[in-house]
Amino acid sequence: MSSTTSHFSLVTETPAASPEEAHRHFLAKLSVETDAADVRLDLQRGQDGFILIDARGAQDFEECHIPEAINLPYRKITAASTTHLTKEKLLVVYCWSPGCNAATKAAARLSALGFQVKEMLGGIEYWRREGGPVEGTLGEQAPLVR
């Protein structure tokens, strides 16, 4: 750290939201996001209130995916390709990593079709980093990201 003191703060240059505004923001954020640890714990506990969707391509899914996940590449999401999914359950979508936005694109398409959806932050990369099980032709030997 520098020993000089600045009279200007990059952190406080934009005023912080009020506690009420911040509360609304963070609740809204949690309404569309979840993380690998919460998904894993719910699956371990037998929770069945959501369906896990892998938004990556078919080959990537075949090589390595989270057990119980359904492959639905984001580019193929249409009303016709989702007829097998129920709108009674939350869909949780994931892709490769924080650097991948396929899950975000899938969530946008699915929500436009009337599904409730959350994005699993960190994707399969963070699922694996946190010790989550995977299956597929390459399983644990598959690359973390592409």
Side-chain angles (χ1 to χ4, degrees), residues 50-129:
F50 62 91
I51 299 169
L52 195 55
I53 305 288
D54 186 319
R56 300 172 305 143
Q59 180 180 345
D60 296 323
F61 179 83
E62 183 181 317
E63 290 175 356
C64 180
H65 61 272
I66 298 170
E68 300 183 37
I70 297 170
N71 185 224
L72 187 58
Y74 80 90
R75 286 190 176 110
K76 296 184 178 183
I77 294 173
T78 64
S81 71
T82 59
T83 57
H84 66 289
L85 298 173
T86 178
K87 291 187 178 175
E88 303 303 312
K89 289 188 178 185
L90 172 70
L91 303 181
V92 175
V93 296
Y94 72 88
C95 58
W96 278 106
S97 68
C100 176
N101 68 1
T104 305
K105 292 174 182 177
R109 290 178 184 206
L110 290 164
S111 61
L113 293 170
F115 291 95
Q116 289 186 313
V117 62
K118 287 190 178 191
E119 180 179 3
M120 185 180 84
L121 300 176
I124 196 166
E125 176 187 355
Y126 277 73
W127 173 270
R128 290 174 63 190
R129 287 184 187 274

